[in-house]
Amino acid sequence: MSSVAVLTQESFNEHRSGLMPEQASPSGAEDEDALPTYKDAFPPLPEKASSPDGVQEVSNAWTSKMRPLKSSVITQVFHVPLEERKYKDINQFGEGDQAKVCVDIMHKTGAHLELSMAKDQGLSIMVSGKLDAVMKARKEIVSRLQTQASATVAIPKEHHRFVIGKNGEKLQELELKTATKIQIPRPDDSSNHIKISGTKEGLEKAKHEILLISAEQDKRAVERLSIDKVYHPFIAGASNKLVNELMQETGARISIPPPSVNKTEIVITGEKEQVALAVSMIKKIFEEKANSYTVSSVLAPAWLHRFIIGKKGQNLAKITQQMPKVHIEFTEGDDKITLEGPTKDLQMVQSQIEAIVSDLMNRMDYAEISVDPKFHRHLIGKGGANINRIKDQYKVSVRIPPDNEKSNLIRIEGDPQGVQEAKKELLELASRMENERTKDMIIEQRFHRAIIGQKGEKIKEVRDKFPEVIINFPDPAQKSDIVQLRGPRTEVEKCSKFMQKVVAEMVENSYSVSVPIFKQFHKNIIGKGGANIKKIREETNTKIDLPAENSNSEMIIITGKKANVEAARNRILAIQKELANITEMEVSIPSKLHNSLIGSKGRFVRSIMEECTGVHIHFPTEGSGIDTVTIRGPAEEVEKAKRQLLSLAEEKQTKSFTVELRAKPEYHKFLIGKGGCNIRKVRDSTGARIIFPTAEDKDQELITVVGTEEAVHEAQKELDSLIKSLDNIVEDQMTVDPKHHRYFVARRGQVLRDLADEYGGVMVSFPRTGTQSERVTLKGAKDCVEAAKKRMLEIIEDLDSQVTMECIIPQKFHRSIMGPKGTRIQQITREHNVQIKFPEREDLQGGVFHFNSPPPDAPIQENGEPNGEVKDLADPAAPKKCDIIILSGRKEKCEAAVEALKALVPVSIEVEVPFELHRYIIGQKGSGIRKMMDEFEVNIQVPAPELQSDVISVTGLASHLDRAKEGLLDRVKELQAEQEDRALRSFKLTITVDPKYHPKIIGRKGAIITQIRTEHDVNIQFPEKNDENQDQITITGYEQNAMAARDAIQAIVDELEEMISEDITLDSRVHARIIGARGKGIRKIMDEFKVDLRFPQSGAADPNLVTVTGRPELVDEAIDHLLNLEEEYMADVVENESKMVYMKPSGTASSAGAAEEHRGPSKGFVVREAPWTTPNEAPDMSSAEDFPSFGAPVAAKASPWGPKRF
């Protein structure tokens, strides 16, 4: 139910009269006397007492209103007679239960209690504290220290609620005041008896109070009048004025239900005489109004109601202002309007509303269309864009039901033609949406990020290509592969095909292969500075990932298109094959056995690869059905691996048996033996395969034995006996010459750590440094100790048979021999088991003298004789100390290491390269020559430019020089070919073009000239601003391409010369509409008619002048189109301007002026004798007091606000 509240003319006049000033008195002096003085309005603060004793007190407006402060703590004394005492034992006064009760009361209430015994053996209790605490304590004292009595009092049931009071406040107050407990029967209990318990005195007080409340209520009465709700406003009056007057006059309380509450009952309460008087007065008002009041209704469709009411109630306000006593009520969803009011006024209002309804029915229409609710939000558009456009365009009202209604009915109201057009457009939109399709594409989530692109640039391109299709990707957290496409059926299909193509390309480019490459060859595949790997990546267009240096993995992963990946794989394998004697063999093993041969987490196949050093075994993908297994590695090891793999396969085909053993991890190396000799012995004797855990396995103690049942049991026995013997800890001693001690304990005992790792954790203890003892202690498993002892004796024998050998290599080659981070020298040391020591570098600047020159402190020679004596100089043929490399180890090993070192000495060759190509070989900032040096692992020396030499020196290992020379000569051929091509590309051509056409040739943001440059592969230069020849355009490139580019430019110029320019006058008020948002409108016109439009800039002499440039026939068409647009837009401009006139608040000013004239000028808040009131005269400009000079002393000026207090 909805209603319209009406402000009547009488109530408005009454309201305004309350705001009107009282009639001015005839005398202005009387008005002025009536004004308050400044001191009355703002009383001064009290001054300090002037009397010497300081007793004087100033009485003023501030002090007169001050009330004395009262203490918040009170003290009361309560007396409990002897006969009413609960605890009467005099001997226990201050002790026992009575004392405990008092302490409990003090804790509970916060009041302080003091007990004393009166002469009559009564109890006096003094209670101190805040009023609330004292009253609570009193109640507790009465209930707990005084004997309780009970009584009942009977009052009418309807009076009980007055005893209880609001929220029980009255009852609590009574109980505190009388120190009793009052029990009132529940509302559903018919009893009218109230039970009171407490002291006799309290009982009497409580009974008295309850009876007083009841007696007071007996004097009161309640009357309920049922009067139709339409008459309630007349009884209440404007702003409840009439009902308030009735209540003041009668003294009764009148309660009229508010308009929102659907009740007709008016309740009158008060004393009987007052209620009777109020009832008679209300009935009188009702009878008067009932005789002169009518209720009627006008039939009007519910959809017309808001048009009848008008915008912000304007239409209805006109009617109600004329007939303020008529109440008009509209009910939502009801096809009628209810009218209530005086009969005569109501008939006039009814005729007016019927006329409005008839007019609206003739010129308004409505239509309803049914659209699936799921399309409603699309019809509304983002931020209501679609529906607002339809409303504005067709001047209609469209009601789309909210989602919670789940209705498919859309209602359109307005002008009949507009309604039909809006209905047609909405149905078309709905039909288009029904034609929409949602398609789910299955795209692996790993491709989603690549499709979207970094910062979404790739998916933006797809969305720009298919703007009508909405593409939704799932949240990454959902781990979903479903990508949803939604839009018109054809567009969705096109977008789907495009996305499938993109995904197919990604799938093709994501083909991945793992290539096992020996760890020692990874650096050769990478090349110097990454040259090799970079070249393979660029030439095969693949992604190649190598494992980290500290990783044990040997797998290199190649990703890209399948053909490219295979090419990269072959190149990497070729590098490995070139560096080592690697062969590849294929073995046919039934695919059903592959899983059992690989074993859990690859344990079985890994054990074979570990045993056959350097072998990689590759099984086909699971489920492929291929039987071929590939084995790659050194030839001998591949044969060995093949035999073991076939043996294992044969075992699996017959019957395989498995047993698991446990042994401490430190025993594993000893069980395996050096080079796997121990474990091989067990396997050869039993035929079983023994698999030890790898570093990645969780259980490091587990050893697996696989084979036939008999072989496994035999191997198990042998291993058990070995493990038991290892658990048998013994201690042994051996003699080691002290000169060899340093070798064992050097490098933080690295040799001893290696011994412990290899021989089951055996502990070797050498004597302390400084003691000349030869005794060394070994502790561990018996077999381990024996093996370690044997190994130490071998090491000592090697140390005793060591020789020292010199290798003379010039110092300038030392760095090259060492290799990056000493890798080459480390390799020689490992391979030949020798120690190599390089000499200190010779200081050429001074500080270390040369062997063939005298020392710096030698005496001065005269005539070649020092002090008359001649000494032999050092032999110039003798090698320098800085060139001697010292090797230590066995003789045969040292000799082999010397040969290996000499093989690393670089050699030099010379290559003829034309001098003019040197700078191209060097490249920008030396990048070209650096790249070649990294690629071929040589040093390339280009002669200085001033030498004008054609000879380039290449230095490096002999094995690398041929490749480097070939690469250098290939580069020379490339550069010579580039020179020839550069000569052909340097053909220049100039074309003369009027500068006014230059911007057109360049195009918007250089689009046209860029297209010509790209299409013809030429460089086109336009003249600079300060160039003399402003009409010359230079074209550089191949002769044929330059000629074609010239023809293309000439064709543009010819077309431009055919164009004409015409000026037209378009009203500047429509320019913005024609240009459109961000120039969208003007670009559309220019593209459609192939013309150029120039609008005047702000501040132009003629703001209406627009220039149109293009071909004559197109210019004429464009001008006609522009003039049509001007005519259309001007109609809107004129209409908007006319509306703006009506929107100005013209009536407000006149009415405000009339009110102001009636009221008189406002003086604001005025007081007499204020300190700021001064005579109306100009200030004295010559007064030094009013206008003091800077720096001049100024006399203190009395302030109207009184003396300063600081």
Side-chain angles (χ1 to χ4, degrees), residues 13-25:
N13 291 336
E14 287 167 10
H15 173 65
R16 191 171 63 174
S17 66
L19 301 176
M20 296 279 282
E22 291 185 11
Q23 293 297 323
S25 57

Side-chain angles (χ1 to χ4, degrees), residues 664-674 676 678 692 754 756-760:
K664 292 178 183 177
E666 56 264 29
Y667 295 163
H668 290 188
K669 279 194 178 179
F670 182 76
L671 291 171
I672 294 165
K674 193 170 183 181
N678 294 351
F692 286 84
D754 292 343
D757 288 345
E758 194 170 345
Y759 299 104

Side-chain angles (χ1 to χ4, degrees), residues 14 73 151 159 171 331 429 436 457 461 470 483 496 526 535 543 580 692 699 725 759 865 892 966 983 1032 1051 1101 1186:
E14 287 167 10
V73 177
H159 295 174
L171 183 62
T331 307
L429 279 171
E436 269 194 357
E457 71 277 358
E461 289 173 14
I470 297 165
V483 177
S496 173
I526 294 167
K535 189 177 180 183
K543 182 186 175 187
F692 286 84
D699 194 344
S725 66
Y759 299 104
E865 297 179 6
E892 62 276 11
E966 189 182 335
Q1032 297 291 320
D1186 289 338

Side-chain angles (χ1 to χ4, degrees), residues 226-235 281-296 325 339-344 346:
S226 184
I227 294 174
D228 288 343
K229 200 163 182 65
V230 293
Y231 298 108
H232 287 191
F234 301 107
I235 296 166
M281 292 176 77
I282 289 169
K283 283 182 176 178
K284 186 179 178 184
I285 294 167
F286 166 65
E287 286 166 3
E288 285 176 3
K289 293 297 176 184
N291 294 332
S292 62
Y293 195 78
T294 310
V295 177
S296 181
K325 293 182 181 178
L339 309 177
E340 301 167 356
T343 309
K344 190 177 179 183
L346 187 138

Side-chain angles (χ1 to χ4, degrees), residues 588-596 619-628:
S588 182
I589 296 172
S591 58
K592 64 183 180 180
L593 297 176
H594 288 185
N595 280 345
S596 58
F619 283 85
T621 311
E622 188 179 356
S624 62
I626 299 169
D627 294 341
T628 307

Side-chain angles (χ1 to χ4, degrees), residues 43-47 57-68:
L45 291 169
E47 296 288 340
E57 192 176 309
V58 180
S59 176
N60 56 30
W62 297 99
T63 56
S64 62
K65 292 181 183 178
M66 290 177 67
R67 289 182 291 181

Side-chain angles (χ1 to χ4, degrees), residues 479-750:
K479 305 287 183 188
S480 173
D481 294 338
I482 296 171
V483 177
Q484 193 181 70
L485 310 180
R486 193 177 75 245
R489 190 182 298 275
T490 53
E491 289 296 306
V492 165
E493 286 301 324
K494 285 179 188 175
C495 183
S496 173
K497 285 177 184 174
F498 179 80
M499 294 275 280
Q500 283 170 353
K501 188 180 175 184
V502 169
V503 172
E505 285 177 10
M506 285 183 176
V507 170
E508 189 183 355
N509 289 329
S510 66
Y511 179 76
S512 183
V513 162
S514 296
V515 186
I517 300 293
F518 297 118
K519 194 80 174 176
Q520 63 265 32
F521 299 138
H522 283 199
K523 60 180 180 178
N524 305 92
I525 288 161
I526 294 167
K528 196 169 184 181
N532 290 357
I533 199 77
K534 189 177 177 185
K535 189 177 180 183
I536 295 169
R537 281 171 179 157
E538 287 173 356
E539 290 180 3
T540 61
N541 193 24
T542 55
K543 182 186 175 187
I544 303 172
D545 294 318
L546 285 94
E549 284 184 22
N550 55 357
S551 167
N552 293 326
S553 174
E554 294 186 338
M555 291 295 179
I556 294 176
I557 299 166
I558 310 169
T559 310
K561 288 186 178 178
K562 189 173 182 180
N564 296 347
V565 167
E566 290 298 331
R569 176 175 172 271
N570 293 336
R571 287 184 65 169
I572 289 170
L573 288 172
I575 293 170
Q576 179 179 248
K577 199 169 184 180
E578 187 183 332
L579 293 166
N581 180 24
I582 303 297
T583 60
E584 189 175 296
M585 188 179 286
E586 290 183 348
V587 182
S588 182
I589 296 172
S591 58
K592 64 183 180 180
L593 297 176
H594 288 185
N595 280 345
S596 58
L597 289 175
I598 293 166
S600 174
K601 297 182 181 177
R603 292 183 69 192
F604 294 162
V605 77
R606 194 165 58 237
S607 71
I608 296 172
M609 289 195 289
E610 284 172 2
E611 197 170 327
C612 306
T613 314
V615 166
H616 287 283
I617 301 171
H618 178 71
F619 283 85
T621 311
E622 188 179 356
S624 62
I626 299 169
D627 294 341
T628 307
V629 178
T630 308
I631 308 169
R632 187 184 300 111
E636 292 178 10
E637 299 296 328
V638 166
E639 278 296 332
K640 191 174 168 185
K642 178 186 174 185
R643 285 196 301 272
Q644 290 197 24
L645 200 60
L646 289 171
S647 169
L648 188 61
E650 194 177 339
E651 285 176 16
K652 292 287 178 186
Q653 270 183 320
T654 53
K655 190 175 182 184
S656 179
F657 189 73
T658 305
V659 163
E660 291 180 347
L661 303 173
R662 290 191 170 274
K664 292 178 183 177
E666 56 264 29
Y667 295 163
H668 290 188
K669 279 194 178 179
F670 182 76
L671 291 171
I672 294 165
K674 193 170 183 181
C677 61
N678 294 351
I679 211 70
R680 197 180 298 117
K681 200 183 292 179
V682 175
R683 195 184 63 230
D684 292 344
S685 64
T686 63
R689 173 165 300 282
I690 298 138
I691 300 162
F692 286 84
T694 61
E696 290 80 23
D697 290 336
K698 287 183 180 178
D699 194 344
Q700 289 292 306
E701 293 187 356
L702 194 69
I703 301 169
T704 309
V705 186
V706 182
T708 60
E709 187 173 355
E710 186 183 346
V712 167
H713 285 312
E714 282 182 26
Q716 185 181 6
K717 278 181 190 176
E718 289 194 32
L719 286 171
D720 280 339
S721 64
L722 278 171
I723 293 164
K724 280 176 186 175
S725 66
L726 289 173
D727 287 334
N728 181 20
I729 303 297
V730 296
E731 190 172 308
D732 198 358
Q733 291 181 343
M734 66 181 292
T735 304
V736 178
D737 194 321
K739 67 180 180 182
H740 299 314
H741 289 193
R742 183 175 179 80
Y743 174 80
F744 286 98
V745 298
R747 291 174 295 157
R748 296 182 183 178
Q750 182 63 46

Side-chain angles (χ1 to χ4, degrees), residues 732-892:
D732 198 358
Q733 291 181 343
M734 66 181 292
T735 304
V736 178
D737 194 321
K739 67 180 180 182
H740 299 314
H741 289 193
R742 183 175 179 80
Y743 174 80
F744 286 98
V745 298
R747 291 174 295 157
R748 296 182 183 178
Q750 182 63 46
V751 177
L752 297 180
R753 282 203 299 275
D754 292 343
L755 284 168
D757 288 345
E758 194 170 345
Y759 299 104
V762 69
M763 290 172 63
V764 184
S765 301
F766 277 78
R768 291 186 179 218
T769 310
T771 60
Q772 292 302 311
S773 174
E774 296 181 348
R775 188 168 292 173
V776 176
T777 306
L778 294 88
K779 189 177 180 181
K782 188 177 179 181
D783 292 343
C784 294
V785 167
E786 288 299 325
K789 195 173 176 182
K790 187 180 176 183
R791 175 64 186 139
M792 284 177 73
L793 289 170
E794 287 173 6
I795 292 168
I796 292 164
E797 188 185 343
D798 282 349
L799 292 171
D800 286 336
S801 62
Q802 269 191 358
V803 296
T804 301
M805 198 174 282
E806 291 183 353
C807 177
I808 299 166
I809 295 173
Q811 189 187 31
K812 63 181 179 180
F813 300 127
H814 288 188
R815 179 173 285 184
S816 174
I817 291 166
M818 287 180 187
K821 296 181 182 179
T823 51
R824 289 176 182 169
I825 212 70
Q826 286 167 15
Q827 189 174 351
I828 293 171
T829 304
R830 280 196 305 271
E831 285 177 4
H832 300 286
N833 194 20
V834 294
Q835 291 184 346
I836 302 171
K837 186 179 179 184
F838 281 79
E840 295 289 334
R841 294 194 67 191
E842 183 180 20
D843 189 355
L844 302 176
Q845 302 297 325
V848 177
F849 65 84
H850 300 284
F851 293 105
N852 55 0
S853 63
D857 57 349
I860 299 170
Q861 299 179 4
E862 293 180 9
N863 300 322
E865 297 179 6
N867 296 329
E869 295 179 11
V870 179
K871 290 188 179 179
D872 293 335
L873 295 173
D875 183 5
K880 292 181 182 180
K881 194 176 180 180
C882 60
D883 295 341
I884 299 169
I885 300 169
I886 297 168
L887 295 88
S888 303
R890 284 181 175 270
K891 187 180 178 183
E892 62 276 11

